[in-house]
Amino acid sequence: MRPQAPTRAARSLQKCLFRPAKSTQFRTQPTRAFTAHPPTHHNPSPSTVDATEVSHFNALASSWWDPHGSSRLLHLMNPLRHTFITRCLSTSPPASHTLRILDVGCGGGIFAESAARLPTTRAVTAIDPSPGVLSIAEAHKRRDPALMAPGRLTYVNTSIEDLPLPAKPADAFDVVTLFEVLEHVHAPGPFLTHLLPHVKPGGWLVMSTIARTWTSWVVTNLVAEDVLGIVPKGTHEWGKYVNAGELRAWFGKQDGWGEVRVQGVVYVPGFGWREVRGSEEWGNYFLAVRRLG
């Protein structure tokens, strides 16, 4: 994302003050963001990737694996990602004994690497449109011989629109993950539409994102970026945040999808990320939805 102008925070605050905190509409293009139909064949499509977001994260690539650097909060969140996925799989497990995972918007590979090391994982494919970040991911992968086994962890510099569709549903992935990505794309509906065919029947789409509320603007934009500086300036744009209710409503209109699960999480300075029931209404949260078998 391009750096915010000095008056941007004030404009966001003004819009937030005159808008209900739990609105189910987007600040811009409220009727278009979640309108799309699943693709029926593979053709490169107009990208939902924001080029300024790619540039922003490329600039942060060198510090991706520094646990005290710009990606510190992602490192701290990673254990909760696995906990949430495990809970989903424990009650509605895919048919596969070992999992094929697609990590969309993988960045430097924090989740992808950790998933590839699990004994329950057969293969991880991790994609990202940022070449600078993926070069860091590839270099870090080579430090672990176990990750160099053929097919164990494969990085691909592509967007979801240009990833070839599976030949048949059974060839899709058991788990598709989308962590801290949805709030960085142009239009969440068309973007999610391209993900759906990559989840096999019985599999899970698991994501994390941020609710678009007054509280989330204060925490992520004002405090995290401007006051404490624990998140690089320009990382978040409040107008791109997505409420859990919006996602529930959108998935409710998609044929063959159900069993939505949501878990709110809160970052507590000095203690890390903690699950907080109900916090999905105003801040960060995980959401998973299962493709019906």
Side-chain angles (χ1 to χ4, degrees), residues 170-210:
D171 294 337
F173 293 88
D174 300 292
V175 178
V176 174
T177 57
L178 185 73
F179 292 128
E180 308 303 310
V181 173
L182 197 60
E183 66 270 24
H184 298 290
V185 301
H186 281 307
F191 179 78
L192 288 172
T193 297
H194 287 285
L195 267 71
L196 301 187
H198 293 282
V199 183
K200 70 166 49 175
W204 287 87
L205 171 59
V206 184
M207 68 187 78
S208 61
T209 190
I210 311 173

Side-chain angles (χ1 to χ4, degrees), residues 88 92-94 199 201-205 256-260 288-293:
C88 293
S92 301
V199 183
W204 287 87
L205 171 59
W257 290 83
E259 196 176 346
V260 177
V289 59
R290 185 169 180 257
R291 185 173 181 180
L292 302 179

Side-chain angles (χ1 to χ4, degrees), residues 4-21:
Q4 297 177 347
T7 59
R8 184 161 195 170
R11 291 199 303 271
S12 296
L13 175 60
Q14 183 182 34
K15 294 188 179 202
C16 199
L17 285 171
F18 291 96
R19 186 187 185 98

Side-chain angles (χ1 to χ4, degrees), residues 72 76 267-272 274:
R72 177 173 178 266
L76 294 174
Y267 176 70
V268 182
F271 295 92
R274 295 291 185 269

Side-chain angles (χ1 to χ4, degrees), residues 200-222:
K200 70 166 49 175
W204 287 87
L205 171 59
V206 184
M207 68 187 78
S208 61
T209 190
I210 311 173
R212 191 183 62 262
T213 65
W214 158 256
T215 305
S216 68
W217 182 85
V218 171
V219 172
T220 62
N221 292 79
L222 181 61

Side-chain angles (χ1 to χ4, degrees), residues 58-198:
N58 269 330
L60 301 176
S62 62
S63 64
W64 202 275
W65 280 98
D66 179 358
H68 304 291
S70 60
S71 298
R72 177 173 178 266
L73 295 187
L74 299 182
H75 286 273
L76 294 174
M77 181 184 280
N78 205 44
L80 282 185
R81 294 169 172 174
H82 285 287
T83 298
F84 185 68
I85 292 173
T86 299
R87 287 176 184 163
C88 293
L89 297 177
S90 65
T91 57
S92 301
S96 307
H97 295 295
T98 54
L99 305 176
R100 292 180 62 244
I101 299 172
L102 173 64
D103 187 23
V104 179
C106 64
I110 294 171
F111 172 77
E113 277 201 12
S114 61
R117 292 190 181 98
L118 295 176
T120 54
T121 299
R122 176 161 36 119
V124 175
T125 299
I127 70 171
D128 199 285
S130 307
V133 173
L134 275 190
S135 66
I136 297 297
E138 283 283 3
H140 198 271
K141 165 188 167 181
R142 289 194 289 271
R143 298 182 180 184
D144 186 347
L147 299 178
M148 297 302 293
R152 188 68 179 183
L153 174 58
T154 304
Y155 288 114
V156 183
N157 182 204
T158 188
S159 64
I160 189 63
E161 291 92 345
D162 293 330
L163 185 69
L165 293 174
K168 56 183 183 294
D171 294 337
F173 293 88
D174 300 292
V175 178
V176 174
T177 57
L178 185 73
F179 292 128
E180 308 303 310
V181 173
L182 197 60
E183 66 270 24
H184 298 290
V185 301
H186 281 307
F191 179 78
L192 288 172
T193 297
H194 287 285
L195 267 71
L196 301 187
H198 293 282

